[in-house]
Amino acid sequence: MATQLKPAPEGKQGECSKEEWQARLDLAACYRIFDHLGWSESIYNHISLKVPGEADTFLINPFGLMYSEVTASNLVKIDVEGNNVGGSPYMVNKAGFTQHGYFHKHLGARADAICHVHTTATMAVASHRDGLLPTNFYACNFQNQIGYHDFEGITVRAEEGERLVQNLGNHSILMLRNHGPVVMDRTIQGMFVKMWALQRACEIQVATLSMGNPVLVPQDVVDVHQRDLSVMSGQGGAGMFDFEAWKRKIDKIDDSWRN
């Protein structure tokens, strides 16, 4: 059963559409879920979501707040040029805008929802010469489905955007070497479940390599795995069931994200 929504607070309800408020709720919930799972990084890193029904606008976290402080109403609405178009008093981390803004601007609906994290496991794999290896069930999901981009420093220069998109190719995950992953999808639910599986793949790879030589899954088996995975993914509502379950979980802990 889907989590019931609270109405928008007075003031904010008249400022945005019902569709935008739903997007704000989903994104705020996502920040709290990431925080609960240990995927936050102090006040840094980002999850962004396109505003439904609008061209070239998206929501992102206020710079200076912890993920545990993000709410539906304090998310910042900006356009792909970095302009604050929602009247928020908060600023946006330039590294978050530069990277996410370029993807939102140039990739269309395939990048409507984007996250970038610095989890220990994903950064470790991003820093490994061979990247993600087919050492486990989850890793097999992503073989030949990830682009890699060599480290160029903090992503604050707009001219790096073209290389980011080129190295992403037609994939939905870009592993920034020595840095961490960028995960994107058409929906926030799809992005979340993809990030969850990638995190598990990286955690297991780090644990496996610590024991010595891993058993690698052959490519022909990976191909069968991915074929069958595409059939099974329809059962999970492309992450919808997962996302709603985690929303129920964080609601029991602290439902202030709905404000």
Side-chain angles (χ1 to χ4, degrees):
M1 183 176 68
T3 306
Q4 293 299 308
L5 303 178
K6 288 184 178 179
E10 280 303 320
K12 178 55 75 176
Q13 188 169 17
E15 295 171 15
C16 67
S17 67
K18 290 168 62 175
E19 291 77 14
E20 179 181 332
W21 184 248
Q22 176 66 69
R24 285 176 171 274
L25 285 168
D26 286 339
L27 184 55
C30 198
Y31 274 103
R32 297 299 186 94
I33 294 167
F34 272 43
D35 188 62
H36 178 74
L37 290 170
W39 299 350
S40 57
E41 183 87 345
S42 186
I43 62 171
Y44 304 101
N45 292 345
H46 330 280
I47 316 169
S48 60
L49 182 63
K50 184 182 184 301
V51 177
E54 297 187 12
D56 298 332
T57 59
F58 60 98
L59 303 167
I60 199 166
N61 53 318
F63 190 43
L65 297 189
M66 305 286 278
Y67 279 20
S68 59
E69 297 176 294
V70 172
T71 67
S73 58
N74 68 26
L75 287 162
V76 184
K77 182 177 178 179
I78 61 177
D79 65 20
V80 294
E81 304 302 330
N83 301 306
N84 184 333
V85 297
S88 172
Y90 293 100
M91 63 184 292
V92 169
N93 185 357
K94 185 174 182 180
F97 158 70
T98 302
Q99 182 189 97
H100 287 234
Y102 200 90
F103 287 135
H104 281 294
K105 183 174 182 178
H106 293 277
L107 297 180
R110 62 184 278 215
D112 277 359
I114 305 173
C115 74
H116 171 56
V117 299
H118 286 177
T119 67
T120 300
T122 58
M123 286 189 75
V125 170
S127 302
H128 190 272
R129 180 189 59 192
D130 298 321
L132 187 65
L133 295 165
T135 62
N136 62 79
F137 174 94
Y138 292 113
C140 289
N141 296 5
F142 302 111
Q143 293 307 297
N144 304 316
Q145 306 294 321
I146 296 177
Y148 290 86
H149 176 76
D150 288 341
F151 185 60
E152 298 186 26
I154 299 175
T155 314
V156 294
R157 289 167 284 107
E159 48 89 16
E160 188 180 353
E162 185 176 345
R163 292 187 292 280
L164 288 165
V165 169
Q166 182 178 2
N167 289 325
L168 174 68
N170 61 357
H171 305 309
S172 62
I173 297 174
L174 181 63
M175 198 68 89
L176 307 178
R177 292 193 184 277
N178 311 104
H179 187 172
V182 179
V183 180
M184 58 192 70
D185 197 83
R186 293 176 176 274
T187 68
I188 196 168
Q189 295 86 357
M191 179 275 293
F192 168 74
V193 75
K194 199 177 296 179
M195 175 61 215
W196 185 86
L198 179 66
Q199 174 69 17
R200 293 292 294 131
C202 291
E203 289 171 345
I204 297 165
Q205 175 168 316
V206 170
T208 302
L209 294 186
S210 73
M211 297 187 296
N213 294 326
V215 176
L216 299 183
V217 178
Q219 186 60 47
D220 60 332
V221 178
V222 170
D223 293 342
V224 171
H225 174 84
Q226 291 186 351
R227 181 201 67 194
D228 294 346
L229 186 68
S230 67
V231 175
M232 292 297 295
S233 63
Q235 261 193 316
M240 180 66 74
F241 295 165
D242 307 75
F243 194 66
E244 290 296 325
W246 281 103
K247 282 166 72 174
R248 294 192 299 271
K249 176 83 171 180
I250 60 165
D251 252 341
K252 294 175 182 176
I253 299 169
D254 177 8
D255 68 355
S256 63
W257 58 272
R258 295 178 175 276
N259 296 331

